Amino acid sequence: MKHVRRFTPSLFLSLVHICLVQANYAPYFFDNGARSTNGNMALFSLSEDTPVGTHVYTLNGTDPEGDPVTYGLAYEAGSRRYFSVDKNLGNVTLIEELDREKEDEIEVIVSISDGLSTVSEKVRILVMDANDESPEFINTPYIVQVPENTPSGSSIFKIEAVDKDTGSGGSITYFLQNIHANKFTIDRHSGVLRIKTGVTLDYEKSRTHFVVVVAKDGGGKLRGDNKVFSATTTVTVNVEDVQDTPPMFIGTPYYGYVYEDTLAGSEVLTVVALDGDRGKPNSIHYCIVNGDEGSFEIGNTTGAISVIKSPNQLKKEVYELKVQASEVSQEGDVSVYAFAVVTIRVVDLNNHPPTFYGENGPQNRFELTMYEHPPEGEILRGLKITVNDSDQGANAKFNLRLVGPGGIFRVVPQTVLNEAQVTIIVENSAAIDYEKFKVLTFKLLAIEVNTPEKFSSTADVVIRLLDTNDNVPKFSSDYYIARIPENSPGGSNVVAVTATDPDSGLWGEVKYSVYGTGADLFLIHPSTGIIYTQPWAVLDAEVNSKYNFYVKAEDTDGKYSLAEVFITVLDVNDHSPEFNENIQEKTMIIGSPVKIEAIDQDAEEPNNIVDYSIMQADPANVFDIDQSTGEIKLKSYIRSLDIIHNITKNKDCIWSLVVQAKDRGSPSFSTTAVLKIDITEETLHKGPMAAFLMQTKDNPMKALGVLAGVMGIMVLITIMISTAMFWRNKRSNKITPVRRIIKKRQTPQPRAVRMEWLKFKRPSNAAEKFVVEDDSKSLHNENSNNNIHVAPVPPTAPVPPPPPALAPRGDAPGWRVPTVSGSLTPKFINKQLKKRGHGSAHNALVSELKLKFEKRNAAIGEPHI
């Protein structure tokens, strides 16, 4: 029972499977008609110009059970595969280029499958034509032989071209290029080539014609555009010669001469005639028609004319023979002929050429010696030449010519009959130049004029020239430019001038000399022309860098010429830059630069261009220097004295720098100097007094002198005021109130006088930026030491004037001292003012000046590093 249970389910499944197989239906394609692009590809057509890769069709079908279907394409063995298909979608794609001219039908087996059943169909795909072929000429090349007498309008050839396309793309029409220049026409449909109506061919004018024929199709679609294709070929038309041209004589007109010594039977001349038809020429037969009078004969085939009588039997001087040339065909028939006239002249024998004679008989060389540049029109009397021709009449007439350098001489006479004395006349005196030609050679030519022989003879004429001093020495240049370094020693060569005199002998020797204001330092060798410096000469480009003078070239007769000499002294770097002082002192206000300057005495750049640099400074990060201008500035981050105090413990703010000035010459020179810089801040108000103090801050003696002068004026004014008050009080016996005296002592008149004087004297420079304001507020000292206050109030009763030395010391120094000290070393003075407090004005001034000079002496003796 267990075995039966296991077998029964298996048998059941097999029966079910058999039933299902028997119930399966095959898939099938849809048939959508001839123009459809969807279905089974039946009656499908495709243009041959369809691009490869184009989706051209979609296979479409179904399965009755609704199962998914797949599609396939197959080809017969040996066939080219043109299409591929997407088996799931049925999209058919063109994979090979179509060509209707090679294959106009494609057989394809299409299939559809549902996985169990496959249905296949063979379909034919028609390849439709596109206009992708050009016309092609057949049976080329085209060469046509046409007789030249072919009538116009005759058909001479048929051109044929084929086009593999169908329809309008395969239809062909013909036409010719350059139709107006052609002698031919073509039938546009049949391709028959004809000679144009009214046109004839001529072998003698043109033996070959090249006709370009164009074949064009009717056009058609190609890849969506209308295309027209054409082809060209050349038809070679060879024209055949036909006997239609008479013979032609060559070398006309014909002239012949019979001389008195000519023998009977001698040939006089030969005439030549050729058949005008060069392609197939006939033979030529010659004969004399008339004019010979029995004295001449002609060779029938050669054309040679001979005299058959002796010259003394000829009765006429000129015979004109009419000669006929006839064409004889191969059959012996005379077809065409031509005529020519032959002129034969009977002349006496011309057997004597012209002959030249000298004093001793015939001579063919004549010589003469003369000085150059003779006057124009002068006759060369040393030449005694005679010319003679022994013939008679026209045979004795001849011309005379001089053959040689033209335009120098002329011969007289130019035409001679029988005999004449030959005269040679000077025509161009300038050309008769010994420096150009030592010897002039000519050919004296005598040639007959009217004779056919043109007998001639020549004689050599040799003229030897003697020199004269006719030339001036000439320099090779109108000016000479030379350069010489300034460190050249005395006697150095500068430049060599050259002058030549083409005259010979002593006349050609040249002597040189120099003159002019610029020539003092130079000499010239009289024979070589070498210019050199005086032995004692010292050149200095810084003193004078340009010299200009003249050089003279003179021959022995005093003829001379001049040239100008320009000499440039080249600067040599022989000076070092120089500072005004080896140790300089500058006061720098923070925010403003100070400037150093060194002068290089060299004359030219780059020797005199100076570059500045700081060689040594401690610390090294405080100052910057402008390489070109020499301006020294504080580093951009230093904007106050407090920053400087943080950098160094040197509280007096006096710095020593080693600065270098270096030129740009080669080799380069440099100079160093010590620069002391006193750094301060701008504390004074602007005014003329500050400008003056800034000008004198580096010169304390000048400031002290001005101060002493001001103090003296104040003392004098005080004495005058005191004296006037004393005499006034004495006369009035009154006591002046204290308040009036105080007001007079506080009056600013002396200061106003001094201010106006300072304003009048101040120079216009950078110190004007620091001027003192004329205000009572300016009397307040920045350090609050009150040294500038006026003296204590005087007693109520007037007293005699004080001694002159003591009177001004109570007032003037009180406001004057800070100004002087501030212009020299402001920080140093400020420190001293803080220490001394409200002391005497006189003591303050003495103490301050003493400390100032000690400080300066110490700075000079031991520069700060």
Side-chain angles (χ1 to χ4, degrees), residues 779-789 830 833-834 837-838:
L779 299 177
H780 179 69
N781 191 302
E782 183 180 359
N783 297 323
S784 302
N785 55 17
N786 296 326
N787 285 342
I788 60 174
H789 287 181
N830 290 339
L833 291 176
K834 288 181 181 180
H838 296 274

PDB file of all heavy atoms in Angstrom, residues 779-789 830 833-834 837-838:
ATOM      1  N   LEU A 779      53.966 130.343  25.387  1.00  0.00           N
ATOM      2  CA  LEU A 779      54.951 130.553  26.428  1.00  0.00           C
ATOM      3  C   LEU A 779      54.919 129.462  27.469  1.00  0.00           C
ATOM      4  O   LEU A 779      55.805 129.376  28.321  1.00  0.00           O
ATOM      5  CB  LEU A 779      54.713 131.921  27.098  1.00  0.00           C
ATOM      6  CG  LEU A 779      54.829 133.142  26.162  1.00  0.00           C
ATOM      7  CD1 LEU A 779      54.506 134.423  26.937  1.00  0.00           C
ATOM      8  CD2 LEU A 779      56.210 133.205  25.572  1.00  0.00           C
ATOM      9  N   HIS A 780      53.937 128.641  27.407  1.00  0.00           N
ATOM     10  CA  HIS A 780      53.862 127.559  28.384  1.00  0.00           C
ATOM     11  C   HIS A 780      54.757 126.404  27.947  1.00  0.00           C
ATOM     12  O   HIS A 780      54.606 125.883  26.863  1.00  0.00           O
ATOM     13  CB  HIS A 780      52.411 127.084  28.494  1.00  0.00           C
ATOM     14  CG  HIS A 780      52.256 125.952  29.476  1.00  0.00           C
ATOM     15  ND1 HIS A 780      52.402 126.109  30.826  1.00  0.00           N
ATOM     16  CD2 HIS A 780      51.956 124.651  29.261  1.00  0.00           C
ATOM     17  CE1 HIS A 780      52.200 124.952  31.421  1.00  0.00           C
ATOM     18  NE2 HIS A 780      51.924 124.036  30.480  1.00  0.00           N
ATOM     19  N   ASN A 781      55.695 126.029  28.789  1.00  0.00           N
ATOM     20  CA  ASN A 781      56.634 124.962  28.461  1.00  0.00           C
ATOM     21  C   ASN A 781      55.933 123.618  28.541  1.00  0.00           C
ATOM     22  O   ASN A 781      55.132 123.375  29.440  1.00  0.00           O
ATOM     23  CB  ASN A 781      57.805 125.004  29.443  1.00  0.00           C
ATOM     24  CG  ASN A 781      58.931 124.094  28.997  1.00  0.00           C
ATOM     25  OD1 ASN A 781      58.734 122.912  28.836  1.00  0.00           O
ATOM     26  ND2 ASN A 781      60.101 124.687  28.807  1.00  0.00           N
ATOM     27  N   GLU A 782      56.262 122.780  27.577  1.00  0.00           N
ATOM     28  CA  GLU A 782      55.636 121.451  27.520  1.00  0.00           C
ATOM     29  C   GLU A 782      55.990 120.630  28.750  1.00  0.00           C
ATOM     30  O   GLU A 782      55.216 119.812  29.211  1.00  0.00           O
ATOM     31  CB  GLU A 782      56.084 120.727  26.232  1.00  0.00           C
ATOM     32  CG  GLU A 782      55.435 119.382  26.051  1.00  0.00           C
ATOM     33  CD  GLU A 782      55.913 118.714  24.786  1.00  0.00           C
ATOM     34  OE1 GLU A 782      56.732 119.339  24.071  1.00  0.00           O
ATOM     35  OE2 GLU A 782      55.475 117.572  24.526  1.00  0.00           O
ATOM     36  N   ASN A 783      57.176 120.836  29.274  1.00  0.00           N
ATOM     37  CA  ASN A 783      57.618 120.076  30.444  1.00  0.00           C
ATOM     38  C   ASN A 783      57.203 120.733  31.767  1.00  0.00           C
ATOM     39  O   ASN A 783      57.580 120.279  32.839  1.00  0.00           O
ATOM     40  CB  ASN A 783      59.122 119.901  30.430  1.00  0.00           C
ATOM     41  CG  ASN A 783      59.548 119.102  29.222  1.00  0.00           C
ATOM     42  OD1 ASN A 783      58.843 118.181  28.835  1.00  0.00           O
ATOM     43  ND2 ASN A 783      60.687 119.452  28.646  1.00  0.00           N
ATOM     44  N   SER A 784      56.484 121.863  31.657  1.00  0.00           N
ATOM     45  CA  SER A 784      55.948 122.550  32.870  1.00  0.00           C
ATOM     46  C   SER A 784      57.051 122.964  33.821  1.00  0.00           C
ATOM     47  O   SER A 784      56.902 122.910  35.034  1.00  0.00           O
ATOM     48  CB  SER A 784      54.935 121.647  33.591  1.00  0.00           C
ATOM     49  OG  SER A 784      53.875 121.319  32.704  1.00  0.00           O
ATOM     50  N   ASN A 785      58.204 123.356  33.269  1.00  0.00           N
ATOM     51  CA  ASN A 785      59.255 123.805  34.180  1.00  0.00           C
ATOM     52  C   ASN A 785      59.210 125.315  34.397  1.00  0.00           C
ATOM     53  O   ASN A 785      59.974 125.854  35.191  1.00  0.00           O
ATOM     54  CB  ASN A 785      60.625 123.385  33.661  1.00  0.00           C
ATOM     55  CG  ASN A 785      60.849 123.885  32.240  1.00  0.00           C
ATOM     56  OD1 ASN A 785      60.140 124.772  31.781  1.00  0.00           O
ATOM     57  ND2 ASN A 785      61.840 123.279  31.577  1.00  0.00           N
ATOM     58  N   ASN A 786      58.330 126.003  33.649  1.00  0.00           N
ATOM     59  CA  ASN A 786      58.066 127.425  33.850  1.00  0.00           C
ATOM     60  C   ASN A 786      59.307 128.273  33.729  1.00  0.00           C
ATOM     61  O   ASN A 786      59.396 129.346  34.335  1.00  0.00           O
ATOM     62  CB  ASN A 786      57.425 127.667  35.217  1.00  0.00           C
ATOM     63  CG  ASN A 786      56.050 127.005  35.321  1.00  0.00           C
ATOM     64  OD1 ASN A 786      55.329 126.945  34.313  1.00  0.00           O
ATOM     65  ND2 ASN A 786      55.709 126.493  36.491  1.00  0.00           N
ATOM     66  N   ASN A 787      60.280 127.831  32.964  1.00  0.00           N
ATOM     67  CA  ASN A 787      61.468 128.663  32.742  1.00  0.00           C
ATOM     68  C   ASN A 787      61.180 129.856  31.870  1.00  0.00           C
ATOM     69  O   ASN A 787      61.991 130.752  31.777  1.00  0.00           O
ATOM     70  CB  ASN A 787      62.568 127.836  32.089  1.00  0.00           C
ATOM     71  CG  ASN A 787      63.204 126.897  33.100  1.00  0.00           C
ATOM     72  OD1 ASN A 787      63.058 127.104  34.295  1.00  0.00           O
ATOM     73  ND2 ASN A 787      63.879 125.870  32.599  1.00  0.00           N
ATOM     74  N   ILE A 788      60.025 129.877  31.220  1.00  0.00           N
ATOM     75  CA  ILE A 788      59.764 130.949  30.283  1.00  0.00           C
ATOM     76  C   ILE A 788      58.902 132.044  30.913  1.00  0.00           C
ATOM     77  O   ILE A 788      58.448 132.944  30.231  1.00  0.00           O
ATOM     78  CB  ILE A 788      59.068 130.396  29.037  1.00  0.00           C
ATOM     79  CG1 ILE A 788      57.736 129.740  29.405  1.00  0.00           C
ATOM     80  CG2 ILE A 788      59.958 129.429  28.314  1.00  0.00           C
ATOM     81  CD1 ILE A 788      56.947 129.307  28.183  1.00  0.00           C
ATOM     82  N   HIS A 789      58.636 131.963  32.203  1.00  0.00           N
ATOM     83  CA  HIS A 789      57.860 133.031  32.841  1.00  0.00           C
ATOM     84  C   HIS A 789      58.698 134.292  32.932  1.00  0.00           C
ATOM     85  O   HIS A 789      59.925 134.258  32.976  1.00  0.00           O
ATOM     86  CB  HIS A 789      57.418 132.597  34.238  1.00  0.00           C
ATOM     87  CG  HIS A 789      56.320 131.567  34.195  1.00  0.00           C
ATOM     88  ND1 HIS A 789      55.740 131.043  35.319  1.00  0.00           N
ATOM     89  CD2 HIS A 789      55.690 130.990  33.143  1.00  0.00           C
ATOM     90  CE1 HIS A 789      54.814 130.165  34.969  1.00  0.00           C
ATOM     91  NE2 HIS A 789      54.782 130.114  33.645  1.00  0.00           N
ATOM     92  N   ASN A 830      65.045 118.844  27.050  1.00  0.00           N
ATOM     93  CA  ASN A 830      63.884 118.597  27.909  1.00  0.00           C
ATOM     94  C   ASN A 830      64.312 117.961  29.219  1.00  0.00           C
ATOM     95  O   ASN A 830      63.804 118.274  30.287  1.00  0.00           O
ATOM     96  CB  ASN A 830      62.886 117.705  27.197  1.00  0.00           C
ATOM     97  CG  ASN A 830      62.202 118.461  26.043  1.00  0.00           C
ATOM     98  OD1 ASN A 830      62.196 119.685  26.067  1.00  0.00           O
ATOM     99  ND2 ASN A 830      61.667 117.723  25.086  1.00  0.00           N
ATOM    100  N   LEU A 833      65.844 120.646  31.353  1.00  0.00           N
ATOM    101  CA  LEU A 833      64.860 121.593  31.866  1.00  0.00           C
ATOM    102  C   LEU A 833      64.087 120.998  33.029  1.00  0.00           C
ATOM    103  O   LEU A 833      63.722 121.702  33.978  1.00  0.00           O
ATOM    104  CB  LEU A 833      63.909 121.997  30.744  1.00  0.00           C
ATOM    105  CG  LEU A 833      64.535 122.865  29.636  1.00  0.00           C
ATOM    106  CD1 LEU A 833      63.500 123.124  28.531  1.00  0.00           C
ATOM    107  CD2 LEU A 833      65.029 124.187  30.204  1.00  0.00           C
ATOM    108  N   LYS A 834      63.823 119.709  32.937  1.00  0.00           N
ATOM    109  CA  LYS A 834      63.101 119.067  34.043  1.00  0.00           C
ATOM    110  C   LYS A 834      63.926 119.098  35.330  1.00  0.00           C
ATOM    111  O   LYS A 834      63.417 119.184  36.432  1.00  0.00           O
ATOM    112  CB  LYS A 834      62.769 117.635  33.673  1.00  0.00           C
ATOM    113  CG  LYS A 834      61.669 117.535  32.627  1.00  0.00           C
ATOM    114  CD  LYS A 834      61.363 116.083  32.312  1.00  0.00           C
ATOM    115  CE  LYS A 834      60.288 115.995  31.259  1.00  0.00           C
ATOM    116  NZ  LYS A 834      59.976 114.600  30.937  1.00  0.00           N
ATOM    117  N   GLY A 837      64.409 123.170  37.169  1.00  0.00           N
ATOM    118  CA  GLY A 837      63.313 123.826  37.856  1.00  0.00           C
ATOM    119  C   GLY A 837      63.275 125.302  37.578  1.00  0.00           C
ATOM    120  O   GLY A 837      63.586 125.780  36.497  1.00  0.00           O
ATOM    121  N   HIS A 838      62.875 126.113  38.604  1.00  0.00           N
ATOM    122  CA  HIS A 838      62.660 127.549  38.447  1.00  0.00           C
ATOM    123  C   HIS A 838      63.909 128.307  38.836  1.00  0.00           C
ATOM    124  O   HIS A 838      63.903 129.155  39.719  1.00  0.00           O
ATOM    125  CB  HIS A 838      61.472 128.017  39.294  1.00  0.00           C
ATOM    126  CG  HIS A 838      60.178 127.405  38.861  1.00  0.00           C
ATOM    127  ND1 HIS A 838      59.384 127.922  37.859  1.00  0.00           N
ATOM    128  CD2 HIS A 838      59.546 126.273  39.282  1.00  0.00           C
ATOM    129  CE1 HIS A 838      58.323 127.184  37.693  1.00  0.00           C
ATOM    130  NE2 HIS A 838      58.398 126.143  38.557  1.00  0.00           N
TER     131      HIS A 838
END
